[in-house]
């Protein structure tokens, strides 16, 4: 894998199709057909040429492995890739929600500490009375 420019990361589309095909061990025409069917969708240069990222090349290699070693057809590979992306998105969302929940728990614990220490609280003070209310059930209604 050629080194990336200092300004690029694994999602930056930097490799032209011929270089990406060589790195992935495939023919450029194969990359074009994968793009057409939506397996790997590279970025585009201003002139319309395909530009592949390191992540795109990793997906191309995974497509090749699934096809050659595991015998999965292209439709199955496409579904696997979609599901892996969905799992990644759900994992990211779970991390966000977990972090948000931790914040709410910390706030609740702080509020409980403030209330037990006699500190300020968001609740109004309870009014204590000596009143007693007697409840008696009324007659049962039959519907």
């Amino acid at each position: 894998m050629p080194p990336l420019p200092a300004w690029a990361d694994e999602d930056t589309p930097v490799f032209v199709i011929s270089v990406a095909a060589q790195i992935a061990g495939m023919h450029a025409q194969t990359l074009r057909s994968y793009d057409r069917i939506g397996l790997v969708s590279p970025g585009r240069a201003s002139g319309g040429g395909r530009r592949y990222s390191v992540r795109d090349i990793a997906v191309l290699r995974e497509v090749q492995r699934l096809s050659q070693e595991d015998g999965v057809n292209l439709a199955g590979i496409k579904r696997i890739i979609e599901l892996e992306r969905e799992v990644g998105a759900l994992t990211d969302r779970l991390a966000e929600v977990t972090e948000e929940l931790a914040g709410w728990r910390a706030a609740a614990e702080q509020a409980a500490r403030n209330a037990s220490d006699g500190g300020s609280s968001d609740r109004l003070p309870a009014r204590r009375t000596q009143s007693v209310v007697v409840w008696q059930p009324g007659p049962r209604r039959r519907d």
Side-chain angles (χ1 to χ4, degrees):
M1 179 78 66
L4 289 174
W7 49 266
D9 64 11
E10 66 180 15
D11 291 319
T12 306
V14 293
F15 300 107
V16 295
I17 192 167
S18 60
V19 174
Q22 184 179 10
I23 294 169
M26 298 177 175
H27 193 277
Q29 192 60 39
T30 304
L31 274 62
R32 287 183 190 94
S33 71
Y34 287 175
D35 184 14
R36 270 193 303 277
I37 63 175
L39 276 175
V40 178
S41 299
R44 297 286 179 161
S46 57
R50 293 172 175 87
R51 295 292 185 270
Y52 291 83
S53 68
V54 171
R55 188 179 311 269
D56 293 332
I57 294 170
V59 171
L60 288 169
R61 288 179 172 169
E62 181 66 4
V63 168
Q64 188 175 41
R65 186 194 68 74
L66 287 168
S67 175
Q68 292 177 356
E69 295 177 17
D70 296 338
V72 181
N73 66 22
L74 293 180
I77 292 171
K78 184 175 181 180
R79 185 67 179 138
I80 289 168
I81 290 170
E82 289 169 354
L83 290 171
E84 286 176 346
R85 287 183 183 145
E86 189 173 334
V87 166
L90 290 171
T91 301
D92 292 346
R93 181 65 182 132
L94 177 60
E96 291 172 8
V97 169
T98 301
E99 187 176 321
E100 186 178 332
L101 179 59
W104 282 106
R105 281 186 177 151
E109 289 170 3
Q110 183 63 41
R113 280 193 296 276
N114 287 347
S116 67
D117 293 343
S120 66
S121 175
D122 292 339
R123 296 181 298 182
L124 295 173
R127 188 173 65 166
R128 301 197 184 268
T129 66
Q130 299 289 325
S131 303
V132 175
V133 177
V134 178
W135 176 78
Q136 294 181 349
R140 284 187 136 181
R141 289 180 23 185
R142 290 191 178 176
D143 294 326

